[in-house]
Amino acid sequence: MEPARKGFSAAAAPGEPGDLFDASTDAAAVISEHGVVVGWTRGAAALLGYAAPDVVGARAAGLLAMPEDPVRLAGVVERCRGGNGWSGEIAVRHRDGRRLGIRLRVSASFPMGDTECFLVSARDERQRWTMGQSVLDGFLTRSPVGMAVMDTELRYVWLNDTLERFGGVPRDERLGRRLSELLPGLQAESLESLMRKVLATGLPVTDYEYVGWSWADPHRQHAYSTSFFPLVDAAGTATGVCYMVQDVTERWTARQLLTMVNEAGTSIGTTLDVLRTAQELADFAVPRFADFVVVDLLEAVLSTEGHGTWLTDAGPAPARPAMRRAALRSVRDGCPEAVARVGDRVDFLPPPHDGSLLTEGEPLLIPVLDPSDELWLTREPVRTQRIREFGLHSLIAVPMRARNTVLGLTTFARSLNPVSFATDDVLLARELVARAAVCVDNARRYTREHTAALTLQRSLLPPAVTGGTALEVASFYLPADPSGGVGGDWFDVIPLSGARVGLVVGDVVGHGITAAASMGRLRTAVQTLAAMEMPPDELLAHLDDLVLLLSDEETAAGTAARSTFIGATCLYAVYDPVSRRCTMARAGHPPPVVVTPDGHVRFAEIPAGPPLGLGGMAFEASEIELAENTLFGLYTNGLIEGRDRDVERGMARLGEVLAHSGKDLDALCTSAVRQLLTVPQPDDIALLLTRTHALGADRVASWDIPPDPASVGILRAQATRQVEAWGLGELAITTELVVSELVTNAIRYATPPLRLRLLRDARLTCEVADASSTAPRLRHARITDEGGRGLFLVAQLTQRWGARYSGDGKVIWAEQEIP
């Protein structure tokens, strides 16, 4: 180190006064905008010999040892007022008369009271250190930065050891020759073009990055950062170019890795489809990373049944797990390297590995594939032949895992790209597969939930609706997300006794499985209550109680369960084809639309009623008469709430569309939805259209029942003759027995007036009405009970029987299937 010390002429110890980098002794002063000194430090006194009382209040120009330059001074002031500082060399006069050359620094202007001021600081110019030749040679030769000097013909005239090592070409072979003659793999033409530009303009070019090959490492690309600047002589003439180069491969690789990973984030997982996501991974990696990519997924991942795959802690993996080819991509058309095609069953794992490769999750790097390897020849003979045929020379296999779940294996291979995979490539492959694995797992879970939602939809919505002879029925259901399954809207058509039909439409707030489950519970409840022959207002009251009960149960279960009933509306109507009257009630639901046979449109006036689940408020029923062939439509608010969210306008549009009701009912239902929903809607929609029919007098027979037991025989005979007149002689005997039991039971226990009625519809119905509200005797009463056989025989002879109630009393009915 001693020779190095001799290369410096001034050698103060670091940190001592006099150290070139020590600013503690700098002179500082504050000068006002008028050029008057208003502040003076000890450093300034030491530098110029003037004490503070000697200069404060005097003009600063008196300290100069050079003529004043107003133009230069104005420029300095303007720059400092603009928020910038200024520095430059000036000459000042010491108190003893000596002339001192100092480097002056002026700060941006700042206010001091009402005066604008400038802070100036200075240091005495010391003699600059110089570097000895031996130090300079050592610095240039051993610098970690590659350096070279080129003449005006761009031929090497000097280079250091580092540059020689970068290029792999000896110094003697370089001198006198051009870059393009020695290293054509380094973008020589572009580099020489830059050097010519530097010679022509005299302006340096800094930090120019490029990628290329060198003889020092011929099997791997390196990234370099190069700067060029001209060399000029004393006359200012360019005599050559000096360039400095650094190997920035690691930095460049990290940046490329980050860029590629970011691009992958926008290119992989654009859909919630397992196969599409796998193909996006393969498409992204070819050709930017690999020449051939296959993605194989476990068969269970592609299945919609069960959990879909096995967990990594579920025991040892099978030696050859069953997988299917999910994606395939090659730089060659048709992927001729592939042994299996998309959809084929595969069990490929690079020899000698087995299923543990998938569970362990660590990528496998094979830098050099050897087609003569005995393991490959024995275990993968066909693939080995393809490796040899298409020149596959390097491979990375990355297990695809997400959320502790094994999904499959992704294999990357290179053939046309001569560079073998390296450790940095494994990091990139792992990151690409990890991102794709999360997307595949999301898609798998979505597919499973989607399938569950569709299955739930098919099970909860009626597969087909029919109104019997009372109504012609058509329906249309559309979830807000057609691919996402059922939402919370539902409808139903429920056959009731006496040829009547129950119509229901409802709307549970929300979408997806939760709303569908809520809808299913309400639909089941409505069917159960309707089977009990409840009037519409009573049915809604019981439904409201049920929603309150379920909500209370969920509240008691904790916040995690409070997600089912967050709001629901419902409308229930009962149409009687004999009287052509429709009784209905609604719970916060839009009223039904009525289109008369002559095309007149109106909306039934029904008290709105509160939505289900509020409790404490009554529901009111209303009744209207419907002419035969009247169009009667129930719907949910998704159909009428357009983009303007104007419900009344939506109802008006619905009426206009349905006014042309001469079409086939199914076609009308479909066209109405398409006309009203021109764009996707944020809510589910349901539309239930019915066209009313009347049960004519030729299908109904009725008789008053005298309270005399002797009338039983007369009524039994009349009913038998009526059944035979309808061509139902096979049912005459059973009808005679049913009439006998019902009439006898009514005479004995019921309250007059009594009436018997037969209805011939899809079934043969026998009804006995009375003015009481007492419940009928037990359905399965024993023969030994008081009252003889009671209704036991009726239950045995008919398919269905029961009782319904109204304000006028009750009706006991029994139905027989017509053969």
Side-chain angles (χ1 to χ4, degrees):
M1 295 300 292
E2 189 61 30
R5 290 181 180 273
K6 295 178 180 179
F8 297 90
S9 59
E16 296 177 2
D19 183 2
L20 291 173
F21 304 100
D22 179 22
S24 63
T25 58
D26 281 7
V30 178
I31 300 176
S32 71
E33 60 182 321
H34 305 297
V36 177
V37 178
V38 296
W40 192 256
T41 65
R42 292 181 180 178
L47 176 63
L48 298 182
Y50 294 99
D54 297 332
V55 294
V56 173
R59 288 182 53 81
L63 301 173
L64 297 177
M66 55 185 290
E68 292 190 41
D69 188 347
V71 176
R72 184 184 186 190
L73 178 60
V76 170
V77 171
E78 181 179 357
R79 176 178 176 83
C80 294
R81 285 175 172 167
N84 300 305
W86 175 89
S87 66
E89 295 181 358
I90 65 171
V92 295
R93 185 74 60 187
H94 192 273
R95 184 170 185 173
D96 60 11
R98 288 183 291 115
R99 178 187 176 96
L100 299 178
I102 64 171
R103 185 158 192 85
L104 189 69
R105 295 183 295 275
V106 184
S107 71
S109 64
F110 60 90
M112 181 180 289
D114 297 330
T115 305
E116 182 182 24
C117 295
F118 303 87
L119 175 65
V120 298
S121 60
R123 174 184 293 185
D124 186 10
E125 288 293 296
R126 312 275 179 92
Q127 181 180 2
R128 299 182 179 275
W129 54 266
T130 60
M131 183 179 292
Q133 185 64 41
S134 62
V135 175
L136 179 62
D137 289 344
F139 170 72
L140 295 177
T141 302
R142 297 179 181 84
S143 169
V145 177
M147 292 184 286
V149 176
M150 320 290 281
D151 62 16
T152 55
E153 298 299 325
L154 305 184
R155 293 178 298 226
Y156 282 99
V157 296
W158 178 85
L159 69 153
N160 67 353
D161 295 346
T162 304
L163 187 64
E164 181 181 15
R165 186 172 64 253
F166 282 171
V169 179
R171 180 182 282 103
D172 294 341
E173 295 183 19
R174 289 202 190 210
L175 296 176
R177 302 179 67 182
R178 295 174 57 180
L179 181 65
S180 57
E181 298 171 354
L182 301 169
L183 297 168
L186 276 181
Q187 302 183 13
E189 292 184 0
S190 299
L191 296 176
E192 289 183 347
S193 176
L194 285 173
M195 286 189 278
R196 292 190 188 96
K197 180 179 178 181
V198 169
L199 285 172
T201 64
L203 300 176
V205 174
T206 60
D207 202 20
Y208 173 76
E209 287 191 4
Y210 59 95
V211 178
W213 308 85
S214 71
W215 293 110
D217 189 2
H219 301 294
R220 181 189 180 200
Q221 277 189 318
H222 284 252
Y224 302 96
S225 174
T226 306
S227 298
F228 307 89
F229 58 90
L231 297 175
V232 296
D233 57 18
T237 303
T239 60
V241 177
C242 179
Y243 78 81
M244 296 182 295
V245 58
Q246 286 182 287
D247 190 328
V248 293
T249 302
E250 292 186 3
R251 183 180 71 188
W252 181 85
T253 301
R255 190 166 63 238
Q256 293 298 110
L257 173 63
L258 180 60
T259 300
M260 191 172 293
V261 169
N262 287 338
E263 291 177 358
T266 60
S267 302
I268 301 173
T270 60
T271 65
L272 286 173
D273 181 87
V274 172
L275 293 178
R276 179 58 188 162
T277 302
Q279 188 62 49
E280 287 173 345
L281 170 61
D283 292 344
F284 179 82
V286 175
R288 69 183 76 193
F289 178 67
D291 298 324
F292 178 55
V293 176
V294 295
V295 181
D296 299 328
L297 297 178
L298 294 172
E299 284 194 320
V301 175
L302 301 173
S303 171
T304 58
E305 300 179 359
H307 183 268
T309 188
W310 43 276
L311 300 178
T312 55
D313 57 359
R320 305 284 282 188
M323 297 186 289
R324 287 197 180 273
R325 182 62 45 85
L328 191 65
R329 184 64 186 271
S330 170
V331 292
R332 299 177 174 90
D333 293 337
C335 299
E337 308 96 325
V339 173
R341 297 291 161 180
V342 173
D344 292 348
R345 182 169 180 170
V346 295
D347 59 0
F348 170 68
L349 293 171
H353 299 276
D354 56 16
S356 60
L357 174 66
L358 301 180
T359 57
E360 291 172 359
E362 290 300 319
L364 171 65
L365 169 63
I366 305 179
V368 179
L369 274 175
D370 183 6
S372 62
D373 187 296
E374 188 64 27
L375 280 174
W376 280 81
L377 287 170
T378 303
R379 185 166 159 180
E380 300 289 345
V382 178
R383 287 186 171 85
T384 303
Q385 175 60 30
R386 300 291 173 87
I387 290 173
R388 182 180 294 109
E389 180 180 355
F390 295 100
L392 301 174
H393 63 85
S394 190
L395 177 145
I396 297 177
V398 184
M400 181 175 284
R401 308 188 342 153
R403 304 179 179 95
N404 201 34
T405 301
V406 177
L407 302 173
L409 182 72
T410 302
T411 305
F412 305 89
R414 282 180 177 171
S415 58
L416 299 183
N417 186 341
V419 182
S420 297
F421 286 121
T423 305
D424 291 341
D425 298 314
V426 174
L427 296 176
L428 176 57
R430 185 203 293 267
E431 185 65 26
L432 291 178
V433 173
R435 285 178 176 259
V438 172
C439 296
V440 166
D441 192 48
N442 289 340
R444 177 183 67 86
R445 293 169 182 266
Y446 166 78
T447 300
R448 186 181 62 192
E449 293 179 3
H450 171 60
T451 302
L454 291 179
T455 302
L456 187 62
Q457 176 183 18
R458 288 191 292 268
S459 65
L460 295 181
L461 290 175
V465 290
T466 176
T469 57
L471 295 170
E472 179 185 353
V473 180
S475 63
F476 195 102
Y477 173 81
L478 181 67
D481 177 8
S483 64
V486 71
D489 293 9
W490 93 94
F491 58 87
D492 211 346
V493 179
I494 305 171
L496 302 174
S497 63
R500 297 170 308 130
V501 177
L503 303 172
V504 61
V505 63
D507 184 359
V508 175
V509 175
H511 309 290
I513 292 180
T514 301
S518 302
M519 174 266 284
R521 299 170 82 174
L522 292 182
R523 178 171 178 254
T524 300
V526 171
Q527 289 178 329
T528 302
L529 295 172
M532 297 172 66
E533 301 286 353
M534 288 189 176
D537 53 343
E538 292 186 20
L539 184 145
L540 291 182
H542 282 78
L543 194 62
D544 184 55
D545 292 340
L546 174 64
V547 171
L548 285 172
L549 176 62
L550 294 174
S551 298
D552 291 341
E553 290 177 353
E554 291 178 351
T555 301
T559 56
R562 299 181 61 182
S563 59
T564 303
F565 291 105
I566 57 176
T569 64
C570 184
L571 186 149
Y572 181 65
V574 176
Y575 174 68
D576 187 343
V578 177
S579 64
R580 293 184 290 105
R581 301 196 67 80
C582 182
T583 306
M584 66 199 86
R586 61 182 177 132
H589 203 83
V593 58
V594 179
V595 183
T596 61
D598 60 3
H600 177 70
V601 179
R602 64 187 175 93
F603 288 87
E605 296 182 1
I606 315 171
L612 297 174
L614 295 183
M617 300 178 67
F619 299 95
E620 298 182 39
S622 61
E623 189 176 79
I624 60 174
E625 184 174 338
L626 301 175
E628 191 170 7
N629 292 322
T630 295
L631 188 70
F632 185 73
L634 308 180
Y635 52 90
T636 56
N637 59 357
L639 186 64
I640 58 174
E641 289 183 352
R643 285 174 294 179
D644 54 8
R645 310 295 294 177
D646 190 328
V647 174
E648 292 185 1
R649 184 177 299 176
M651 293 172 62
R653 288 194 296 263
L654 174 62
E656 293 173 1
V657 171
L658 296 181
H660 308 287
S661 58
K663 303 179 182 178
D664 173 76
L665 201 59
D666 286 318
L668 177 62
C669 190
T670 302
S671 65
V673 173
R674 289 177 177 174
Q675 292 181 57
L676 293 171
L677 302 180
T678 57
V679 296
Q681 296 296 312
D683 195 8
D684 308 330
I685 70 102
L687 176 61
L688 178 65
L689 293 183
T690 65
R691 184 172 282 124
T692 62
H693 300 305
L695 201 63
D698 58 335
R699 291 174 173 264
V700 182
S702 62
W703 303 271
D704 290 331
I705 302 176
D708 183 358
S711 63
V712 174
I714 300 174
L715 292 172
R716 186 171 56 203
Q718 290 176 331
T720 301
R721 288 194 295 271
Q722 182 63 63
V723 169
E724 291 175 343
W726 282 337
L728 302 177
E730 300 128 330
L731 302 179
I733 295 177
T734 56
T735 301
E736 182 178 355
L737 292 173
V738 169
V739 168
S740 177
E741 292 302 325
L742 290 181
V743 171
T744 300
N745 185 75
I747 292 175
R748 180 173 300 175
Y749 299 108
T751 302
L754 310 176
R755 190 165 183 81
L756 169 67
R757 186 171 74 167
L758 292 181
L759 302 175
R760 183 184 183 278
D761 187 31
R763 298 178 180 85
L764 178 62
T765 305
C766 178
E767 299 178 346
V768 172
D770 70 88
S772 71
S773 58
T774 58
R777 294 184 61 82
L778 293 177
R779 181 172 302 188
H780 300 294
R782 291 176 299 170
I783 296 178
T784 57
D785 286 351
E786 181 183 354
R789 290 168 296 183
L791 297 176
F792 176 79
L793 185 59
V794 174
Q796 300 303 311
L797 294 174
T798 60
Q799 280 68 43
R800 291 199 315 154
W801 79 278
R804 64 177 184 267
Y805 300 86
S806 67
D808 298 328
K810 75 172 184 296
V811 174
I812 299 179
W813 53 269
E815 292 181 347
Q816 301 178 69
E817 295 289 344
I818 295 178

